[in-house]
C-alpha cells in the first residue's frame, strides 16, 4: 500500500533549527503498509523527543548549520528509503534513531552522515541484531581494538552459530567488519590453526564506528 508521509514533517520540525521546505514531503510516498508507517512515526516521535530532551539538558550538541542544510534533508530521504525496505519494527526504530543522530554535532574525526545512512539502509534485520549484540562480546573499554577469532564457538542469543556467521559475513560485505590474520604472538587468542595458517579474527572497522556513533550504540552511546 502506498502511504502519504506529510505527517512526519511536523515531527522533524521540532528539532531546533531544522529547515526542511514545507513542500518537501508533499507527494512523497513509500511502498509500505499502514502499520509500518505508524511504527516509523512512533519511533521518530520517540527519538526526536529524546534528542530534544538531551539537547536541553546539555548532554548532546546540535549541529545548527547542518540541520539547516540540504544535506540533512537528503538524510531524511535516505531514512524514508530505508524504512520502505525495513523488515521489522526493530529496524524502523534503528533508522529513526540514526536519522535523529544526523542532527548532532560529533567530535573529530568527521562523521560521514550520508555514507553511514546508506549502510544503515543496507543492513538486514539479522545483521543489525548481530551488530548491536556484537559489542557485548568485546572489550568494553576499547572494542574497536578487540577481535573475535572466526573459529571460536561464540554466538549471540537467538541465533544459531551458522546464522551468526552468516550475519558477520554480511557485515563484512557492508564494510563494517574486517578479517585479520592471527599470529603466534596473539597468544590465547589463536584458536585451532587452519592448514593455511594460524587463523583469522573479526574486527570492527572505522565504518562500524560511524554507524555506532550515529545510532548511539555500544561504547559511543551518549
Amino acid at each position: 500500500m502506498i502511504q502519504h508521509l506529510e505527517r512526519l514533517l511536523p515531527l522533524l520540525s521540532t528539532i531546533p533549527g531544522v529547515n526542511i521546505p514545507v513542500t518537501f514531503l508533499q507527494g512523497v510516498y513509500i511502498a509500505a503498509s499502514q502499520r509500518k508507517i505508524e511504527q516509523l512515526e512512533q519511533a521518530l516521535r520517540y527519538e526526536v523527543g529524546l534528542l530534544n530532551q538531551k539537547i536541553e539538558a546539555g548532554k548532546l550538541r546540535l549541529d545548527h548549520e547542518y540541520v539547516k542544510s540540504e544535506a540533512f534533508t537528503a538524510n531524511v530521504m535516505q531514512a524514508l528509503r530505508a524504512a520502505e525496505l525495513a523488515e521489522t519494527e526493530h529496524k524502523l526504530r534503528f533508522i529513526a534513531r540514526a536519522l535523529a543522530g544526523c542532527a548532532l554535532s560529533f567530535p573529530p574525526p568527521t562523521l560521514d552522515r550520508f555514507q553511514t545512512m546508506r549502510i544503515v539502509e543496507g543492513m538486514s534485520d539479522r545483521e543489525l541484531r548481530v551488530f548491536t549484540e556484537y559489542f557485548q562480546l568485546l572489550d568494553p573499554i576499547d572494542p574497536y581494538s578487540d577481535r573475535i577469532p572466526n573459529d571460536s564457538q561464540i554466538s549471540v542469543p537467538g541465533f544459531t552459530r551458522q546464522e551468526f556467521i552468516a550475519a558477520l559475513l554480511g557485515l563484512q560485505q557492508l564494510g563494517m567488519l574486517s578479517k585479520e590474520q592471527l599470529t603466534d604472538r596473539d597468544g590465547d587468542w589463536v584458536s585451532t590453526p587452519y592448514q593455511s595458517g594460524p587463523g583469522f579474527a573479526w574486527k570492527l572497522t572505522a565504518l562500524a564506528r560511524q554507524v555506532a556513533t550515529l545510532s548511539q550504540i555500544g561504547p559511543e552511546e551518549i
Side-chain angles (χ1 to χ4, degrees), residues 125-127 129-130 133 155-164:
D125 183 68
R126 179 183 293 178
E127 290 163 350
R129 290 180 180 275
V130 168
E133 291 286 341
S155 184
V156 298
F159 293 107
T160 65
R161 174 64 181 167
Q162 290 75 18
E163 291 171 336
F164 178 65

Side-chain angles (χ1 to χ4, degrees), residues 113-163:
R113 296 173 175 89
F114 195 87
Q115 179 191 43
T116 306
M117 289 298 293
R118 188 170 70 234
I119 297 302
V120 169
E121 177 183 353
M123 295 172 69
S124 71
D125 183 68
R126 179 183 293 178
E127 290 163 350
L128 171 59
R129 290 180 180 275
V130 168
F131 177 66
T132 54
E133 291 286 341
Y134 190 85
F135 288 94
Q136 305 302 317
L137 306 174
L138 299 172
D139 181 353
I141 298 177
D142 189 7
Y144 297 103
S145 295
D146 202 359
R147 295 171 294 176
I148 295 179
N150 69 326
D151 60 351
S152 67
Q153 296 304 306
I154 63 172
S155 184
V156 298
F159 293 107
T160 65
R161 174 64 181 167
Q162 290 75 18
E163 291 171 336

